[in-house]
Amino acid sequence: MSQPAQIWSAADYARNAGFVPALGGPVVDLLDPRPGERILDLGCGDGVLTEELAARGAIVTGFDASPELVAAARARGLDARVGDGQRLPFSQAFDAVFTNAALHWMPDHAAVATGVRRALVPGGRFVGEFGGHGNVAAIVTALIAVLERHGVDARTRMPWTYPTVGEFSQLLEDAGFEVLSIAAIPRPTPLPTGLAGWLDTFANPFLGGFTEDERNDILAAVEALCAWSLRDRSGGWTADYVRLRFAAKRLD
């Protein structure tokens, strides 16, 4: 049974996951972009936060693996490029690298950190937030349980890597960074289009090889399991997000 890559639609992302950039304000504040600074937005998505960095006077380059989302960022008038964040092509080109809700999609965090260090000038900042250990645990557990009934080990299709504070802190230090701050932040997150919209946007890698009817049955079963812990009495859904927020500095 085939496993698809994650598929992104700029329209679906804006409709079902607009909360992602909307909740990125504290990370932008942690970065504290300054006028004239050269900043790489790693995993820029559709460019909503990239645009905010530029509005603060920074010279920003967006970088994302999705051609569809990069096209949406370019439509905002931004400099955005398609590429793999685990293979950054830059050398001492930026004063800071910013990332929001993207690193958990890049399983080789060591390669990311090495590439970011190379992309930064000495003393440059690496600031971001992404999914930490325990992120969307209820949703992942439900996906594993339901897919097991269909003969699929969902753990082999897991597209996300959620490290602990200790794991990621050590990884940054090993790559040549001084960790300035790092914390795991529980952040229950309301889902504007419910769990169905969230799954439609983010869960493609789990669902390859199934017919449309099977896919619908799987998603309905996942919703039924998650409803016990993630749906309130009025029918609203809240995902069990845990974010790992960090700031680090490249050592000379």
Side-chain angles (χ1 to χ4, degrees), residues 142 146 149 195 218-229 231 237:
V146 172
R149 301 173 194 167
L195 186 60
I218 288 168
L219 295 179
V222 170
E223 278 197 282
L225 285 177
C226 289
W228 291 98
S229 56
R231 189 173 66 193
W237 287 88

Side-chain angles (χ1 to χ4, degrees), residues 132-156:
H133 182 68
N135 191 60
V136 295
I139 299 172
V140 170
T141 300
L143 282 163
I144 291 171
V146 172
L147 286 178
E148 188 174 65
R149 301 173 194 167
H150 292 261
V152 173
D153 184 354
R155 291 166 294 190
T156 66

Side-chain angles (χ1 to χ4, degrees), residues 1-7 157 159 203-210 215:
M1 188 173 289
S2 62
Q3 175 184 357
Q6 173 64 16
I7 300 170
R157 299 184 170 202
N204 293 292
F206 291 101
L207 300 170
F210 293 107
R215 177 186 173 104

Side-chain angles (χ1 to χ4, degrees), residues 132 134-141 158 160 162 198 239-243:
N135 191 60
V136 295
I139 299 172
V140 170
T141 300
M158 179 69 172
W160 311 306
Y162 298 139
W198 191 95
D240 52 334
Y241 272 49
V242 177
R243 312 314 278 171

Side-chain angles (χ1 to χ4, degrees), residues 99-228:
T99 185
N100 182 63
L103 292 190
H104 50 263
W105 291 98
M106 306 175 200
D108 193 345
H109 285 162
V112 173
T114 297
V116 168
R117 185 186 187 280
R118 187 173 58 248
L120 287 168
V121 299
R125 312 187 308 288
F126 183 22
V127 175
E129 181 180 293
F130 65 109
H133 182 68
N135 191 60
V136 295
I139 299 172
V140 170
T141 300
L143 282 163
I144 291 171
V146 172
L147 286 178
E148 188 174 65
R149 301 173 194 167
H150 292 261
V152 173
D153 184 354
R155 291 166 294 190
T156 66
R157 299 184 170 202
M158 179 69 172
W160 311 306
T161 301
Y162 298 139
T164 66
V165 165
E167 289 167 345
F168 196 68
S169 183
Q170 186 63 58
L171 183 144
L172 289 173
E173 291 174 357
D174 291 345
F177 287 94
E178 176 188 355
V179 178
L180 304 175
S181 66
I182 187 167
I185 303 170
R187 194 195 70 197
T189 302
L191 302 179
T193 57
L195 186 60
W198 191 95
L199 291 168
D200 187 57
T201 301
F202 294 118
N204 293 292
F206 291 101
L207 300 170
F210 293 107
T211 66
E212 184 175 356
D213 286 344
E214 288 172 333
R215 177 186 173 104
N216 290 338
D217 288 345
I218 288 168
L219 295 179
V222 170
E223 278 197 282
L225 285 177
C226 289
W228 291 98

